[in-house]
Amino acid sequence: MSRIAFEKLTGLTQDEVLLRQKQDGFNELPAQGRRKEIDILIGVLKEPMFLLLIACGSLYLLSGELQEALMLLGFVFVIIGITFYQEKKTERALEALKDLSSPRAFVIREGEKIRIPGREVVFGDVILLAEGDRIPADCILVHAVNFCVDESLLTGESVPVRKSFTKDDALGLGKPGGDDLPFGFSGTLVVSGQAAGIIKAVGNRTELGKIGKALQSIKEEQTPLQIQTKSIVRIFALSGSLLCILVVVIFCLTRGNLMEGFLAGLSLAMAILPEEFPVVLTVFMALGAWRISKYRVLTRRVPAIEALGSATVLCVDKTGTLTLNKMTVTDIVTDNQFFRVGEGSHILPEAFHEVVEYSILASPADPFDPMEKAMKDLGERTLSNTGHLHAAWTLQQEYPLSKELLAMSRVWISTSGEDLIIAAKGAPEAIADLCHFDASGLNRLEEKINMLSDQGKRVIGVAAGRHRKTNLPERQHDFQFHFIGLLGLEDPVRSNVKGAIKECYTAGIRTIMITGDYPGTAMSIARQIDLQNPDQYITGPELELLTDEELAERIRKVNIFARMVPEQKLRIVKALKINKEIVAMTGDGVNDAPALKAAHIGVAMGARGTDVAREASSLVLLDDDFNSIVTAVRMGRRIYDNLKKAMMYILSVHIPIAGLSLIPVLFKWPLILFPVHIVFLELIIDPACTLVFEADKDDGGVMERNPRSIDEKLFEALTLLKCFFQGGLTLAATLGVYLFIQSHDHSAETARALAFLTLVVCNLGMILSNRSLTRSGISMLKEKNSAFKWVMTGTAAVMCLVLTIPFLRSLYRFGPISLNDLFMALAGGFTAVALMELIKVFPLPGRTP
């Protein structure tokens, strides 16, 4: 820091520091107010689905089925536990921001240089910055020497920005991004040079703090499936309660038996109340998260799995998501030759050695700057066995880059002891100035620069010179330089991105690139990955002039958004939501966190991503593999399809159970179903829903059809029709067997036993039939599903015991049955199952590409 004069920068006194800390607080983001445990508990228990589970558990307790009651109530506590866990998870985004915003700081106070925790920095502090430091708060630079800062954290740009300084320390703060501005921002990293600044904003007043505020203000939305499930549960709960009361009243008035009436009403309530709906939704999402994790995708918010299958737009952050966030030298140009550097190439023609040699000599030996790292990496790969690397040379002097001349030079003493060697690199125009190009030379150089710039490349010029060992000049201009060549650099596209985006298009998912980089670079990347409409773009300044309605209209066609800042990324997500899109967004920086949280599905990069991005996201790609997004979408569609099959089965199977509970009351028949029978059926229904359907593979072609509409109902009209058809067939077959047996002078107990057997056979057939909405049940028998085999064999074994062991038979109020009766019940069940297969002739909505 010796080059900076600090005589006038005496800093604050201790009294001033204490006063400002009292006024403004510490330089950290305020912790999000945490809800008390009792508030969370009350909020959970207010939900209708949980009230329904508790009510069902209470009904089981009243019926004496303690085990079933405890099981249902256990589900309540499990889901409450999950809610507590998710509550803590959502708070970690701000905690991650808080940690990031408080590095250590080197300040001047009362004329002394001291190092303090970043959280103790206050407004007006004089801060000293050097290469490798993280800026602790937003500041105005009052001195700077060759000062460059990596602001990708806030802007998404992979290339560091050059900073200047101002003598007006009363100047207001600007925005991140752009070269030669005197602003430093909290959380950004110094990659070269030295500077001094005056702190102008701390805590949540910084740019980083504003992102924290945005995160705090965004409320997570309920998924369409959660909303629909709640609505269905309310309808069933209300209708079940009313019918339960009605049955008890009717039974008492017509038969005068209160206990029998209570049993009939209880059976009907248990038959109608679909306690499986909320349980199945929770289990499917949890097991879905586990299955997706096998593909190195971590699910942070389980409801996002549902939204995956309906995603219509994928908003992609360019830096680190589409690209590697690692600058690479791709082109070398000399006076008359061009060379394209192959990825990972170790071969470089002799004619281009000198360009790389002098670009390395003009850079620090251990560079922070990504472009300088790229030059060094290329030299180590291609020049290691040549005489063009000079580790033994001694640095004599450095001429730093300045606002007036965007080039830097380094003077070296070679091992030969001859003249000093000077290497220069910088903006091509600055290098041309050092080499004193005439008009025709400038025109030829401009053609080469434009050729690289049009491809979205960063262009660096390289020059060399010699000088006597004495009397080094004060300015770079006083050397005699000759032009060597140009280097073209880019942040390369990930190798698998192009194929992944193509598959997204096949699946009806539109891809949008959002970046802080320049339009030319963004369009170049768009062409490389075959992004649609690569020549249309909107820049940040243009977006500022658009209303929300205008943006929503233009965003229907534009897929490139360049020079974006965090607030604008958030506006893009909101505009897509206005258009009824289901938005997925990928990102890895702090700047992405608000948009990640606002999107239906926020997808963070696990390896390169910041803690803030990961904590604000719904999914985290542990390997930063773009293909994992496509896999996650495919899995999301499969999970939703299987969930819909399970929900169809639940609704279908409850129809005959409710009918068999209600019809005997209305027609004064002996009761067919008692609570113990419904408990038996639940032991089939629950594992069938949570294990059999969940484990099934998809029906094929899930990535060749358009996403579900955001307005699509879980139970469309045709879906409901199929459910009533299946349930009605089962009810008809069961009642038919019951009435036939009654008409042949069998006891009510025997008729009940055969009716129940028919119902169980239909139930198992319904499971088999619903495992696929397109393929036949017979073909599904060939599909491996161990849970289905256990349900089938277990049910058959227990049913045999119940029908043959006298104690169990009496417990279930069954009478003895003959072999002929058994075959008739089986025939009735198999006939109903065969007819169920007919519904597959009529496709469900959304099942076709």
Side-chain angles (χ1 to χ4, degrees):
M1 305 292 288
S2 58
R3 301 188 181 191
I4 302 176
F6 296 116
E7 297 83 31
K8 298 180 181 179
L9 300 177
T10 57
L12 302 175
T13 65
Q14 189 61 29
D15 290 340
E16 288 174 321
V17 170
L18 293 174
L19 178 61
R20 296 186 184 190
Q21 283 182 346
K22 184 177 180 180
Q23 291 174 340
D24 302 331
F26 285 102
N27 178 38
E28 58 187 9
L29 299 181
Q32 188 178 23
R34 299 191 178 189
R35 294 168 60 195
K36 296 179 180 179
E37 284 74 5
I38 188 64
D39 294 331
I40 299 175
L41 180 61
I42 292 173
V44 170
L45 294 180
K46 283 181 179 178
E47 296 293 329
M49 64 175 63
F50 297 115
L51 292 174
L52 181 58
L53 282 171
I54 293 170
C56 288
S58 300
L59 289 175
Y60 279 118
L61 280 173
L62 291 173
S63 65
E65 299 296 335
L66 180 62
Q67 185 176 355
E68 293 299 320
L70 293 176
M71 180 185 71
L72 280 177
L73 295 175
F75 276 123
V76 175
F77 292 111
V78 168
I79 298 172
I80 289 174
I82 292 173
T83 306
F84 271 106
Y85 178 73
Q86 292 297 336
E87 186 75 19
K88 292 179 181 178
K89 279 277 191 179
T90 57
E91 293 171 355
R92 291 183 185 171
L94 287 174
E95 290 298 321
L97 272 173
K98 182 178 175 180
D99 293 340
L100 186 60
S101 66
S102 188
R104 292 185 63 79
F106 202 33
V107 299
I108 298 179
R109 287 183 179 169
E110 298 182 337
E112 297 292 329
K113 302 174 189 177
I114 59 173
R115 188 170 293 278
I116 61 173
R119 70 187 297 270
E120 295 181 8
V121 169
V122 299
F123 178 86
D125 256 329
V126 177
I127 183 147
L128 309 182
L129 300 165
E131 185 176 283
D133 289 343
R134 195 172 289 279
I135 301 177
D138 292 1
C139 61
I140 296 289
L141 301 178
V142 292
H143 289 285
V145 177
N146 192 28
F147 195 63
C148 293
V149 179
D150 179 358
E151 292 185 347
S152 62
L153 185 85
L154 296 170
T155 65
E157 287 190 64
S158 55
V159 178
V161 291
R162 185 176 58 253
K163 295 294 182 180
S164 64
F165 65 91
T166 178
K167 294 181 180 179
D168 180 12
D169 62 2
L171 186 68
L173 282 168
K175 291 289 185 181
D179 288 322
D180 297 320
L181 296 174
F183 311 121
F185 298 96
S186 175
T188 59
L189 183 67
V190 179
V191 296
S192 67
Q194 303 167 340
I198 308 296
I199 299 298
K200 293 295 182 179
V202 297
N204 59 10
R205 296 182 180 87
T206 64
E207 289 296 312
L208 196 62
K210 292 174 185 176
I211 295 174
K213 280 185 177 179
L215 280 175
Q216 210 168 14
S217 65
I218 298 171
K219 294 183 179 179
E220 294 181 29
E221 302 172 358
Q222 286 190 325
T223 68
L225 189 56
Q226 286 176 316
I227 296 170
Q228 290 180 49
T229 302
K230 284 186 176 182
S231 177
I232 292 169
V233 167
R234 286 193 193 100
I235 293 171
F236 273 86
L238 181 60
S239 59
S241 300
L242 293 176
L243 283 174
C244 177
I245 295 170
L246 184 63
V247 165
V248 173
V249 172
I250 291 174
F251 206 97
C252 290
L253 292 177
T254 58
R255 306 192 192 188
N257 191 325
L258 182 60
M259 180 55 70
E260 288 289 324
F262 176 74
L263 287 174
L266 183 60
S267 297
L268 181 61
M270 294 172 65
I272 291 180
L273 298 180
E275 71 273 15
E276 301 92 356
F277 276 134
V279 173
V280 166
L281 180 59
T282 301
V283 170
F284 262 69
M285 296 299 106
L287 289 178
W290 170 71
R291 292 190 184 279
I292 291 178
S293 70
K294 291 184 176 181
Y295 297 94
R296 304 287 294 163
V297 179
L298 175 66
T299 304
R300 288 200 62 261
R301 281 193 284 276
V302 173
I305 295 173
E306 171 213 339
L308 268 174
S310 58
T312 59
V313 176
L314 177 60
C315 295
V316 184
D317 178 70
K318 177 185 73 69
T319 305
T321 306
L322 294 176
T323 65
L324 295 171
N325 197 19
K326 178 183 178 182
M327 296 301 292
T328 302
V329 177
T330 58
D331 299 87
I332 305 178
V333 182
T334 60
D335 282 335
N336 302 307
Q337 299 183 71
F338 293 80
F339 181 73
R340 178 75 177 176
V341 181
E343 184 178 350
S345 174
H346 290 75
I347 300 174
L348 187 66
E350 177 66 34
F352 301 95
H353 284 192
E354 196 176 33
V355 182
V356 180
E357 173 187 7
Y358 278 87
S359 71
I360 296 173
L361 286 173
S363 305
D366 187 17
F368 271 79
D369 186 281
M371 290 191 291
E372 292 175 340
K373 285 183 177 181
M375 298 169 196
K376 182 179 180 181
D377 178 65
L378 177 62
E380 290 175 347
R381 289 201 327 263
T382 60
L383 304 181
S384 56
N385 296 320
T386 70
H388 293 281
L389 294 181
H390 309 289
W393 287 14
T394 304
L395 180 65
Q396 175 75 11
Q397 187 167 325
E398 177 181 1
Y399 293 83
L401 177 145
S402 66
K403 186 176 181 179
E404 292 74 25
L405 183 65
L406 303 180
M408 61 182 297
S409 300
R410 294 166 72 87
V411 181
W412 295 91
I413 302 174
S414 68
T415 52
S416 64
E418 299 175 355
D419 290 345
L420 298 174
I421 306 298
I422 306 99
K425 68 173 177 62
E429 297 82 1
I431 295 299
D433 186 19
L434 288 177
C435 295
H436 306 292
F437 273 31
D438 56 21
S440 62
L442 284 173
N443 289 334
R444 290 194 301 272
L445 179 64
E446 187 174 354
E447 290 177 4
K448 297 169 185 175
I449 294 171
N450 290 340
M451 182 191 68
L452 294 175
S453 298
D454 290 344
Q455 300 173 27
K457 307 290 176 65
R458 302 275 179 170
V459 186
I460 297 294
V462 181
R466 288 180 174 269
H467 195 272
R468 301 185 306 275
K469 286 192 175 182
T470 57
N471 301 322
L472 284 175
E474 294 184 3
R475 302 186 311 153
Q476 297 180 68
H477 265 296
D478 295 331
F479 289 111
Q480 293 298 315
F481 284 106
H482 68 273
F483 182 78
I484 298 180
L486 300 173
L487 294 174
L489 300 96
E490 70 176 5
D491 184 4
V493 172
R494 292 177 180 271
S495 60
N496 55 11
V497 165
K498 187 174 180 179
I501 287 182
K502 182 179 179 181
E503 191 166 359
C504 284
Y505 285 139
T506 303
I509 302 172
R510 177 182 166 206
T511 305
I512 289 177
M513 182 197 302
I514 303 176
T515 178
D517 220 328
Y518 292 93
T521 304
M523 287 191 293
S524 173
I525 296 294
R527 294 187 187 99
Q528 293 179 54
I529 62 176
D530 288 344
L531 198 69
Q532 293 176 354
N533 302 330
D535 298 321
Q536 297 183 38
Y537 63 86
I538 295 176
T539 64
E542 289 177 59
L543 186 143
E544 285 294 322
L545 300 177
L546 298 175
T547 65
D548 290 343
E549 291 73 20
E550 290 170 338
L551 177 59
E553 183 59 34
R554 288 198 61 185
I555 207 171
R556 295 180 189 275
K557 295 181 180 179
V558 177
N559 294 324
I560 300 174
F561 288 80
R563 304 300 293 165
M564 292 291 127
V565 296
E567 295 83 359
Q568 293 168 333
K569 291 186 177 186
L570 190 57
R571 278 195 67 195
I572 291 170
V573 173
K574 290 179 178 178
L576 289 167
K577 286 185 173 182
I578 291 175
N579 291 339
K580 301 297 183 181
E581 304 281 7
I582 302 296
V583 185
M585 178 185 172
T586 66
D588 60 359
V590 172
N591 59 307
D592 297 318
L596 285 174
K597 191 171 181 181
H600 295 94
I601 312 148
V603 185
M605 301 294 131
R608 294 179 180 271
T610 61
D611 288 342
V612 179
R614 287 193 289 270
E615 293 297 335
S617 66
S618 304
L619 302 175
V620 178
L621 306 184
L622 298 179
D623 293 331
D624 289 8
D625 187 350
F626 193 79
N627 270 321
S628 298
I629 301 172
V630 181
T631 302
V633 170
R634 185 186 301 113
M635 289 295 297
R637 292 187 175 190
R638 166 191 163 179
I639 291 165
Y640 182 85
D641 284 354
N642 288 345
L643 177 62
K644 186 161 187 172
K645 296 172 193 175
M647 295 295 195
M648 284 180 62
Y649 163 70
I650 293 171
L651 182 56
S652 299
V653 79
H654 274 276
I655 291 170
I657 297 174
L660 292 172
S661 300
L662 180 61
I663 290 173
V665 175
L666 297 178
F667 290 94
K668 297 185 180 181
W669 298 346
L671 294 181
I672 298 176
L673 295 181
F674 289 91
V676 67
H677 301 132
I678 298 175
V679 170
F680 184 99
L681 293 171
E682 289 294 336
L683 292 175
I684 302 174
I685 296 170
D686 288 342
C689 295
T690 57
L691 297 176
V692 176
F693 290 109
E694 193 282 328
D696 269 329
K697 297 179 181 178
D698 58 66
D699 282 338
V702 293
M703 293 299 285
E704 297 174 3
R705 67 181 189 229
N706 289 328
R708 301 188 317 275
S709 167
I710 191 172
D711 298 320
E712 180 179 320
K713 303 297 183 183
L714 183 62
F715 292 108
E716 298 279 356
L718 187 55
T719 303
L720 284 172
L721 185 61
K722 291 187 175 185
C723 291
F724 284 115
F725 180 69
Q726 288 186 120
L729 275 176
T730 301
L731 178 59
T734 306
L735 284 176
V737 170
Y738 179 80
L739 293 174
F740 181 82
I741 295 297
Q742 282 268 16
S743 66
H744 283 70
D745 297 328
H746 286 70
S747 66
E749 287 75 14
T750 298
R752 182 181 295 117
L754 291 172
F756 189 74
L757 176 60
T758 305
L759 178 59
V760 169
V761 171
C762 290
N763 190 353
L764 295 175
M766 203 182 294
I767 297 170
L768 179 63
S769 181
N770 279 286
R771 283 182 58 197
S772 174
L773 301 177
T774 56
R775 291 183 288 170
S776 69
I778 295 175
S779 67
M780 292 308 297
L781 283 172
K782 301 175 184 178
E783 289 286 336
K784 184 179 180 181
N785 190 318
S786 57
F788 177 70
K789 292 179 180 178
W790 279 107
V791 169
M792 289 283 287
T793 56
T795 302
V798 174
M799 196 69 206
C800 288
L801 294 175
V802 169
L803 291 174
T804 56
I805 298 175
F807 169 74
L808 294 177
R809 201 163 57 210
S810 64
L811 181 66
Y812 278 80
R813 304 191 188 188
F814 289 163
I817 61 174
S818 66
L819 191 59
N820 289 335
D821 295 335
L822 176 65
F823 284 139
M824 190 188 65
L826 293 175
F830 288 141
T831 301
V833 173
L835 292 173
M836 288 178 197
E837 289 291 291
L838 291 177
I839 65 174
K840 294 180 180 177
V841 176
F842 306 99
L844 283 173
R847 297 302 100 189
T848 55

